Amino acid sequence: MKKLLLSMALSVSALSAYAGPVIIAGTDADDHGSVSGGVNRTGWFFMQRALENIAPQVTNGSTRIVCIGCNGSTASSALQSALSLSSIAPTWTSVSLTSTTDITNFFNGTGTVNVNNTGMVYMPTVDSNVGGGITNAQLAIVNANAAALNTFVGNGGGLFTQEQANSNIGYGWLSTLLPGLSARGDNGGPDFDSNTLTVTPAGLAAFPGLNDTIISSATPWHAWFTTTGNFGGLSALVTGPVESGPGGAIQQQPVVLGASGAGGGSITTPPPPTGSVPLPGTLALLGLGLIAFSAKRRAA
């Protein structure tokens, strides 16, 4: 019996996976990219790599990307190019939600396209930095649904966002989930080198083929993150040099946050340091198997 229990437990472990991953960027890569000869360049290549990293880790069964706030122009073109030239293009599709009614219904789970049938949520750069980007009216709805967004990620969905700090309500959903965390934009504040970025070891794992030269060519970048608490389930994937204060030393600050390694628990909760989170239903299957085995022993 003990051997069977161990065998079944190992089977559950083999079927397990991390919950959906998160990439939260302070870059406006959608505004600093292009496509040439059927190949994405600079910022759009970064976006392609982000999608390719997130998609295989989505565990909720959906292969749909929902863009909240892709209002046409550059913002929409960037996502379509990043997706269409990616390795996930044969199986993943995308749809944009732009009306406040559709976005509200998305989070309520009442829209035709909603959090219950979506694999990945994407938000472009704010409209002040990229043509067709997310607006304040659209961001306000996201901010009001921070808990729903976190639950979506915790249930196996993916999340990819671009720079929002240059909106007066940008990243409100993030600071709601992680009190003490704030995003600093380039609309005032310390000096920083907006043309230089560094990919961390966690970032190298998250973005195969990306390096400091490629990510730095997708600049200038516009925002970095600080916290008086912690980054929850997130870690720094890309950093940039920021002055620590007037006349202060230059320090590397997080510019892109995300799940390091294989995947994230949620925005607020890191994954287990070792092992993994069982896929939905695997623990129930284990229980049913044990019940059936016990009944068979009694019948014998």
Side-chain angles (χ1 to χ4, degrees):
M1 180 65 174
K2 290 181 178 179
K3 290 182 178 180
L4 177 66
L5 285 171
L6 177 59
S7 175
M8 294 184 74
L10 289 175
S11 296
V12 170
S13 177
L15 290 169
S16 60
Y18 287 116
V22 179
I23 294 174
I24 301 172
T27 57
D28 56 342
D30 44 359
D31 194 43
H32 298 293
S34 62
V35 60
S36 177
V39 177
N40 283 314
R41 307 291 183 183
T42 60
W44 292 9
F45 179 66
F46 163 74
M47 292 174 60
Q48 175 186 326
R49 282 293 188 236
L51 297 179
E52 289 172 337
N53 172 257
I54 292 174
Q57 300 177 55
V58 170
T59 60
N60 65 13
S62 174
T63 55
R64 174 191 285 147
I65 299 171
V66 172
C67 178
I68 297 176
C70 282
N71 298 296
S73 190
T74 304
S76 296
S77 297
L79 176 60
Q80 289 307 311
S81 186
L83 175 59
S84 64
L85 295 177
S86 72
S87 61
I88 69 171
T91 54
W92 281 75
T93 60
S94 67
V95 62
S96 297
L97 299 181
T98 57
S99 78
T100 54
T101 298
D102 287 345
I103 297 171
T104 299
N105 290 340
F106 172 82
F107 286 109
N108 290 341
T110 58
T112 302
V113 176
N114 61 67
V115 290
N116 299 317
N117 55 30
T118 294
M120 190 189 315
V121 170
Y122 170 76
M123 286 180 267
T125 301
V126 293
D127 60 350
S128 60
N129 273 352
V130 68
I134 193 168
T135 66
N136 270 9
Q138 294 163 338
L139 273 172
I141 300 172
V142 179
N143 291 346
N145 288 278
L149 190 60
N150 194 48
T151 298
F152 166 77
V153 172
N155 287 338
L159 175 66
F160 178 25
T161 76
Q162 309 252 30
E163 190 272 315
Q164 298 178 2
N166 286 315
S167 160
N168 60 349
I169 61 170
Y171 297 116
W173 52 274
L174 185 58
S175 58
T176 294
L177 296 173
L178 296 172
L181 184 147
S182 62
R184 302 289 302 276
D186 57 1
N187 52 350
D191 291 332
F192 64 98
D193 181 353
S194 63
N195 297 307
T196 301
L197 289 169
T198 300
V199 186
T200 69
L204 292 174
F207 307 119
L210 199 68
N211 56 39
D212 295 352
T213 300
I214 294 173
I215 190 66
S216 293
S217 68
T219 58
W221 52 276
H222 295 277
W224 67 96
F225 301 93
T226 62
T227 182
T228 56
N230 59 66
F231 286 118
L234 310 174
S235 59
L237 302 183
V238 176
T239 63
V242 178
E243 187 179 284
S244 60
I250 299 297
Q251 296 181 342
Q252 290 291 317
Q253 298 289 350
V255 174
V256 179
L257 296 173
S260 60
S266 70
I267 298 169
T268 56
T269 307
T274 58
S276 54
V277 179
L279 286 169
T282 52
L283 291 178
L285 288 173
L286 175 60
L288 290 173
L290 293 176
I291 292 171
F293 177 80
S294 179
K296 185 175 181 180
R297 278 179 60 95
R298 288 196 300 269

